[in-house]
Amino acid sequence: MTYRREWLTKDIVAGVVLTTLLVPQGMAYAELAGLPAITGLYTSILCLLGYAVCGPSRILVLGPDSSLGPMIAATVLPLVAADGDPDRAVALASMLALMVAAIMILASMARLGYVAELISKPTMIGYMNGLAVTILISQLPKLLGFKVDADGLIDECVAVAEGLADGKAVGAAVAIGCGGIVLILALQRWLPRVPAVLVMVVLAIGTVVVFDLGDHGVALVGVLPEGFPPLTIPHVAFDDFGPLLAGALGIAVVSLADTISNASAFASRTGQEIRGNQEMAGVGAANLAAGLFQGFPVSTSGSRTAVAERAGARTQLTGVVGAALIVLMLVLVPGLFRHLPQPALAAVVITASLSLADVPGTVRLWRQRRIEFLLCVAAFLGVALVGVLQGIAVAVALSVLNVFRRVWRPYGTVLGRVEGLPGYHDLRSYPGAEQIPGMVIYRFDAPLIFANAKTFRDEVTRLSRSDRAPVWIVVAAEPMTDVDTTAADVLETLDESLNSRGVHLVFAELKDPVRRKIERYELTRTIDERHLFPTLEAAVAAFRDRVGGENGTADPTGPPGAR
């Protein structure tokens, strides 16, 4: 891509606007991950530079993310010593970022972009709903001005309730936190072009300074470390690699799904094409850069990308400008946010968590498909009750099981002719459809594999013993995209059983790859090659020809034209 001179001003302006969002969100999401606020700024700087060099998208913005924060905390905090050593937590988080980078880059080389599709939309909705509730509850103590010692959503709810009952809440903290939430939501709703987070942060800092709230129980961010972080290879104990790898795999799946989703949405607006494997490499490079400079795992951000787009961003120079401005802030004015109250950061995180929840989508699932609504609820409960990392495993498992369920018990139906409509149609939709005497046309809407072969066998056997007493059972095989070896054995036994009773198994519309498999399995030893037809019409014509018409008496297993 050739850079155009007229883009420069727009990219610089967009970078300045983006920075106003990157700084408070970076600090807030770092604390959500259980890390010092400064690491959020380090992460923002390096991931923006890493993606600008290696990422394919023109304006996609990466950074600390609200959906990854709880996953990072769930991975890192159990490994931190009882004293909560922040340096050890940072080292573990940085190693986690490096592991996510390695997974992303290797997956990109292996062209595994389709892994993002392992999570279906209903289970992703449930997972994100659970994540939203988990984040909201985890931020309540900070919003209310006290701390709790609890593990898990239920325990945290109980601890928050007990803290409120014991009068631990700090009035000034509650006012800043709740006021911040209301202000952000109101500005986003009625003045979407106004930088809501920046306005809230500035007002919160001003309130703290004017009323000296730091001396009235309101926790503050304090002075940030000065300067740029050095290149650091994180030191991690060997025993920690197992838990870190498990967390990195979950983070990589969520980050990949988020990246492909955001990239698709914004590429459709700009006319770009999605290159999933290159996106993985770009996100991997961003995580690699962050992990080498005391950062933590990152993903794409729909909200920050939208801000950059609205501000006129044209290229990744926008992110480079944002990174440069954060560096200047750390070098020149590290004390800029020393009066920023912690409840304000909690407000930033809580409003972000609300955007993760999809209540309308959940209601739509309830109305449209109850089984997928139940999958959504199960994924929600997996996150809320079992844990964030375990929740992503639950979401993936539920998605895979739902696919298996559909293959295990696929839709099957008998077909017939409907006057005035070409082709053959489902008798359940057209009960009056005409069937040919001596023939049943059966459609099986799935690949024929080990999981459903016996279902197919049982249904065909039932049809062969029906009152219609068919001579041919014609399988409309167009939906069959595969036949595995287990199913082939079942077909051989079924055909022999049917033949012994004078019933013949016939296939129509078999796809060429599937027919080649049947020939390779040597199924044509029992299933006569003359019983494999290219179309249903050909099968019906052959049947009528072989029986000498609907009232004929010829052997339907004989050659064409036989009487």
Side-chain angles (χ1 to χ4, degrees):
M1 181 187 70
T2 302
Y3 193 86
R4 300 178 186 174
R5 182 177 298 177
E6 61 266 24
W7 290 350
L8 182 60
T9 301
K10 293 181 179 180
D11 279 340
I12 292 175
V13 171
V16 174
V17 173
L18 182 62
T19 305
T20 64
L21 188 62
L22 291 173
V23 173
Q25 283 193 344
M27 292 191 292
Y29 296 161
E31 297 203 346
L32 175 62
L35 302 168
I38 186 63
T39 60
L41 301 184
Y42 294 161
T43 301
S44 298
I45 295 167
L46 273 305
C47 75
L48 289 170
L49 296 177
Y51 188 83
V53 173
C54 301
S57 173
R58 291 182 185 177
I59 64 168
L60 209 59
V61 177
L62 273 70
D65 189 69
S66 58
S67 64
L68 299 189
M71 300 181 75
I72 298 169
T75 304
V76 169
L77 295 186
L79 302 177
V80 179
D83 59 357
D85 181 6
D87 292 336
R88 175 167 162 74
V90 171
L92 290 166
S94 297
M95 180 56 71
L96 188 62
L98 296 179
M99 295 174 81
V100 171
I103 292 170
M104 286 289 200
I105 293 171
L106 290 174
S108 172
M109 295 171 63
R111 300 187 177 278
L112 297 178
Y114 63 86
V115 171
E117 300 170 7
L118 283 177
I119 308 179
S120 66
K121 186 171 183 179
T123 49
M124 194 63 176
I125 289 174
Y127 175 78
M128 287 299 179
N129 287 345
L131 206 58
V133 172
T134 300
I135 292 172
L136 192 153
I137 297 300
S138 71
Q139 294 299 299
L140 283 181
K142 186 185 295 186
L143 189 80
L144 300 172
F146 61 87
K147 295 182 178 181
V148 299
D149 184 12
D151 184 19
L153 184 65
I154 302 300
D155 290 343
E156 286 184 342
C157 289
V158 172
V160 169
E162 290 176 347
L164 288 172
D166 294 340
K168 293 182 179 180
V170 178
V174 173
I176 289 178
C178 293
I181 292 173
V182 171
L183 180 60
I184 291 174
L185 294 178
L187 290 177
Q188 289 177 343
R189 174 66 177 84
W190 288 294
L191 297 171
R193 292 189 175 275
V194 173
V197 172
L198 177 63
V199 171
M200 187 276 293
V201 165
V202 170
L203 290 177
I205 292 174
T207 302
V208 167
V209 172
V210 170
F211 296 100
D212 195 20
L213 297 183
D215 293 333
H216 291 82
V218 177
L220 306 178
V221 170
V223 178
L224 298 175
E226 183 177 349
F228 193 76
L231 173 65
T232 306
I233 305 299
H235 175 71
V236 176
F238 181 78
D239 292 342
D240 293 333
F241 277 94
L244 286 175
L245 179 59
L249 288 169
I251 290 170
V253 170
V254 172
S255 179
L256 176 57
D258 207 21
T259 297
I260 297 300
S261 174
N262 285 322
S264 300
F266 287 97
S268 64
R269 302 182 192 179
T270 59
Q272 287 184 274
E273 292 184 3
I274 291 300
R275 293 170 285 177
N277 293 307
Q278 287 182 286
E279 286 292 356
M280 279 194 292
V283 175
N287 277 282
L288 177 63
L292 291 175
F293 289 87
Q294 300 179 33
F296 51 84
V298 298
S299 180
T300 57
S301 169
S303 61
R304 276 163 280 180
T305 304
V307 167
E309 183 186 46
R310 287 198 301 266
R314 290 294 181 269
T315 69
Q316 285 296 327
L317 180 61
T318 295
V320 174
V321 171
L325 290 176
I326 297 174
V327 171
L328 289 175
M329 186 198 76
L330 292 177
V331 171
L332 301 178
V333 282
L336 182 63
F337 291 96
R338 65 182 181 276
H339 293 300
L340 177 60
Q342 292 284 357
L345 292 183
V348 172
V349 174
I350 288 174
T351 52
S353 74
L354 296 177
S355 67
L356 295 178
D358 188 357
V359 176
T362 307
V363 173
R364 186 173 63 251
L365 290 175
W366 168 260
R367 291 175 178 171
Q368 296 177 351
R369 189 163 179 137
R370 296 293 171 86
I371 186 65
E372 294 195 343
F373 171 79
L374 292 177
L375 289 173
C376 175
V377 171
F380 170 84
L381 294 176
V383 177
L385 302 181
V386 180
V388 174
L389 283 178
Q390 297 88 336
I392 191 63
V394 169
V396 172
L398 288 173
S399 297
V400 173
L401 286 174
N402 190 35
V403 173
F404 185 77
R405 178 190 64 83
R406 294 177 183 178
V407 175
W408 181 35
R409 287 289 185 267
Y411 185 77
T413 187
V414 175
L415 306 180
R417 294 299 295 262
V418 179
E419 186 176 354
L421 289 178
Y424 294 84
H425 302 276
D426 190 341
L427 261 66
R428 296 176 185 173
S429 301
Y430 300 92
E434 176 190 359
Q435 296 187 69
I436 301 169
M439 173 187 282
V440 170
I441 302 176
Y442 175 62
R443 193 183 71 212
F444 189 74
D445 292 351
L448 194 59
I449 61 173
F450 70 95
N452 59 29
K454 290 183 174 58
T455 299
F456 176 84
R457 178 200 63 190
D458 293 344
E459 187 60 21
V460 170
T461 301
R462 184 188 67 79
L463 291 171
S464 72
R465 292 172 176 162
S466 66
D467 295 339
R468 294 186 55 80
V471 180
W472 276 19
I473 296 179
V474 179
V475 179
E478 185 179 15
M480 285 188 184
T481 55
D482 193 16
V483 174
D484 69 9
T485 55
T486 302
D489 292 340
V490 171
L491 282 177
E492 183 175 9
T493 304
L494 173 63
D495 191 53
E496 291 173 347
S497 173
L498 293 175
N499 288 342
S500 68
R501 294 188 284 112
V503 182
H504 301 279
L505 191 61
V506 178
F507 287 87
E509 301 179 338
L510 271 174
K511 299 182 187 311
D512 288 343
V514 179
R515 178 163 182 165
R516 287 194 290 269
K517 288 181 180 179
I518 285 178
E519 292 169 349
R520 189 163 63 248
Y521 299 152
E522 298 182 348
L523 272 177
T524 49
R525 291 178 306 177
T526 56
I527 300 177
D528 196 328
E529 287 192 42
R530 294 173 300 172
H531 291 168
L532 303 178
F533 295 94
T535 65
L536 282 174
E537 288 75 10
V540 170
F543 176 79
R544 284 177 166 158
D545 183 46
R546 293 176 190 187
V547 299
E550 293 184 5
N551 298 316
T553 58
D555 179 5
T557 67
R563 293 289 185 268

